[in-house]
Amino acid sequence: MENNSLNQGTENSSQKTLIEKITDSLILKIFVIFFLMLILLIPLGLIGDLISERNNRESNVSTEIARKWGLEQVVTSPIIAVPYDIVLETVEPSSDGKSSSISRTVKTEYAYLMADQTQIQADVEPTVLKRGIYQAIVYNSKINIKGNFKNFDLDKLKIQAADLKWNEAKLVFGIQDIKGISASPKFKWDGKEYEMGKYEQDLRLFNQNLTVDLPLEGNESLNKSFEINMDLKGSKSLNFLPLANQTKIMATGKWSNPSFNGNFLPDEREVGETFKASWNIPDFSRKQPQQWKGDPMRIYDFSGIDLANEADGNISYQDAASASVAAANGVTDSQTLANDYDMVQINFLPNVDNYQKSTRVTKYGALVIALTFISLVFMEIIKKQRVHIIQYVLIGFAMVLFYALLLAISEHIGFNMAYLIAAIATIVLISSFIKAITKDMKSALNFAAILTLFYTFIFVLLQLRDYSLIVGTVGLFIILAVLMRLSTKINWYQFEKQ
């Protein structure tokens, strides 16, 4: 029995030694840490989903505010529409046995004429409306449109001047959201003021329009000047669709972060606390002809695309000559419709997009966790102080919590201050934990310096939009070089002997 007890004690001692060897194996611990980093990608992904959810919530609130204030607006040059009757002559027998020709009006169509010259002046005053912690950018604007028309080329339209109902001519002016009109627009034709009417379904050239009855006497009376003045409310962006032979646009506003997008960039721009931009656009890229006839057709299809963030701008364009022939013959398709990409867009971006920046920071989360764990392993080896795998788990979750903390605080006080607070809180938490583990203040301070370097590096990358790739790549190269240098000071074969 005594021998059995001795043998059992020897076996227990041997078994304990084997467990200790496995537990103290550096290679096994590195594999466990690598697996832990993969596991931590799950809560990082959940935080990314949370950021998307909050961003969508902000978008929904902004859209709801915009619906009540005014949506994205599209301002166009006016179009003149003159009606004429399509007459069909039929031969019908009469009661006396003879045939007679009878003319019947089948339907009414229109001849359309674009403006020759148009100058658009827009003075915009964006402002921020808040609901709770969310906000929407809206604006008031004063729009002034001046220009002139020239006569129809009736030979190309193949219409007789006498067939046109000049006394029923209308000028059609299109906007996107008529709810944004805060006062009745003022319209002048040849220096005389006329009243603008409401939206007419029969002349649906635009999404919504205002019309004016023009006192025309004939083709020669078209060669007149016009002027439109209106106060227009909207949100997010102000868009202009150039339809005249030559369109000049001048936009000014009290906003320090405008984005000029669309098919035309400004010829001149000045951006500071206020902005000023101007465009001079000929009709070469216009999809519609200068004049056409037929049933009313839609001029544009507006989708409200944020062209500042739209990556795919490859929209197929139909040849301008083919579009002109098709429209002149009353044939339209999706290629003769203008869209967002044919417009001048001024997008009023928020000064700070907290959710976009939080998303960008989260993308660096796996990198920061990996570098932190590698630094912790090196500290273990150099200082010869063990850190249990459970403590790695706690440090990993503390670093993941940084991103949730950043998101929560940034919704209330702004991104930069939230980043500073979240980074300091995380660094203090982890470094104090290292101090409790190692009982060494120097190790804790060194690790705090390492974390400060990592978080500062990520913050700098966020500020460098154009140079973030090269700065990030060079920074990682330097960090890798430092780690490689440190690794040469360690005798890695000692762990194999153990």
Side-chain angles (χ1 to χ4, degrees), residues 29-219:
K29 189 168 189 178
I30 290 175
F31 274 106
V32 172
I33 292 172
F34 177 75
F35 180 73
L36 175 60
M37 286 190 293
L38 296 180
I39 294 297
L40 289 175
L41 293 179
I42 298 175
L44 272 178
L46 294 176
I47 291 177
D49 293 339
L50 178 61
I51 294 174
S52 298
E53 179 185 340
R54 303 292 285 184
N55 193 15
N56 291 335
R57 171 62 179 162
E58 183 189 46
S59 298
N60 293 336
V61 173
S62 298
T63 302
E64 185 178 350
I65 294 173
R67 281 199 190 101
K68 298 177 180 179
W69 179 271
L71 299 173
E72 299 102 323
Q73 294 289 4
V74 178
V75 178
T76 69
S77 303
I79 297 174
I80 289 179
V82 184
Y84 64 94
D85 292 333
I86 299 296
V87 179
L88 181 64
E89 292 188 0
T90 59
V91 178
E92 296 182 1
S94 60
S95 57
D96 57 0
K98 296 181 180 180
S99 298
S100 60
S101 179
I102 300 176
S103 299
R104 293 181 179 176
T105 300
V106 178
K107 64 176 181 178
T108 299
E109 293 184 348
Y110 288 86
Y112 302 95
L113 181 65
M114 299 278 196
D116 182 59
Q117 302 285 331
T118 300
Q119 300 87 37
I120 302 175
Q121 172 71 47
D123 296 319
V124 193
E125 292 188 10
T127 186
V128 175
L129 293 183
K130 292 186 177 182
R131 177 179 294 177
I133 62 173
Y134 302 109
Q135 63 182 25
I137 298 175
V138 299
Y139 59 82
N140 289 291
S141 64
K142 293 185 179 297
I143 308 293
N144 175 265
I145 305 175
K146 294 180 180 180
N148 67 281
F149 285 87
K150 287 188 176 180
N151 302 341
F152 278 108
D153 189 345
L154 296 177
D155 292 336
K156 289 185 178 180
L157 286 180
K158 298 178 181 179
I159 300 178
Q160 297 296 322
D163 294 336
L164 292 170
K165 301 178 181 179
W166 298 104
N167 59 333
E168 297 181 20
K170 292 182 182 295
L171 181 137
V172 186
F173 172 67
I175 57 175
Q176 180 64 20
D177 186 8
I178 205 168
K179 186 170 69 271
I181 297 178
S182 55
S184 297
K186 297 179 180 179
F187 174 76
K188 290 182 180 180
W189 177 262
D190 195 23
K192 186 178 179 181
E193 191 166 321
Y194 293 86
E195 182 180 354
M196 273 195 167
K198 295 182 179 179
Y199 173 64
E200 290 195 11
Q201 186 72 26
D202 294 339
L203 284 172
R204 194 171 183 180
L205 301 176
F206 308 100
N207 182 57
Q208 294 180 341
N209 61 52
L210 297 172
T211 60
V212 180
D213 294 327
L214 288 181
L216 299 182
E217 297 176 355
N219 198 20

Side-chain angles (χ1 to χ4, degrees), residues 295-332:
D295 293 323
M297 69 173 187
R298 290 290 297 276
I299 300 298
Y300 70 85
D301 185 17
F302 182 72
S303 303
I305 301 173
D306 183 359
L307 300 180
N309 298 319
E310 180 67 16
D312 184 11
N314 298 321
I315 301 298
S316 60
Y317 288 88
Q318 183 173 339
D319 181 74
S322 301
S324 299
V325 172
N329 293 322
V331 179
T332 61

